[in-house]
Amino acid sequence: MSDLIVFTVGTRNPDGHYAEFMTSPDEKAVDDYVDIMQGTVNKEWEIVKHEKHYQCVSTTPQIITRK
C-alpha cells in the first residue's frame, strides 16, 4: 500500500482567512496555477501551497443493508 500525496493552493488575507482554490496530486498543475495567481491575487494576500501526505492506517468495513 502506498501513501497518497496531494498538493493544494489557496490564499490567506491579512485577517488570516484562508480559502483553498485548487487540489491535485499533480504538483506541476498546482505550480502552474500558482503562476496564474501571482498576477491576479491582491499583493497584500499570501499565496499558500500545501503538500499533504495521506496514509491508510486501517479500514473498517461497514455493512450496508438494502431496502
Side-chain angles (χ1 to χ4, degrees), residues 11 23 25 34 46 50 62:
T11 58
T23 302
V34 168
E46 296 176 320
H50 292 102
Q62 297 182 6

Side-chain angles (χ1 to χ4, degrees), residues 5 7 24-34 49 51:
I5 300 173
F7 301 90
S24 177
D26 181 5
E27 186 174 16
K28 183 177 177 347
V30 172
D31 288 342
D32 290 345
Y33 196 79
V34 168
K49 177 181 168 186
E51 180 177 329

Side-chain angles (χ1 to χ4, degrees), residues 5 10 12 18-19 29 42-43 51 54 59:
I5 300 173
R12 183 171 31 234
Y18 174 76
N42 186 322
K43 299 288 185 196
E51 180 177 329
Y54 296 94
T59 60

Side-chain angles (χ1 to χ4, degrees), residues 30-62:
V30 172
D31 288 342
D32 290 345
Y33 196 79
V34 168
D35 290 340
I36 294 168
M37 293 177 78
Q38 294 278 0
T40 58
V41 172
N42 186 322
K43 299 288 185 196
E44 295 178 10
W45 291 28
E46 296 176 320
I47 298 173
V48 181
K49 177 181 168 186
H50 292 102
E51 180 177 329
K52 299 178 179 182
H53 293 249
Y54 296 94
Q55 182 180 43
C56 181
V57 176
S58 68
T59 60
T60 302
Q62 297 182 6

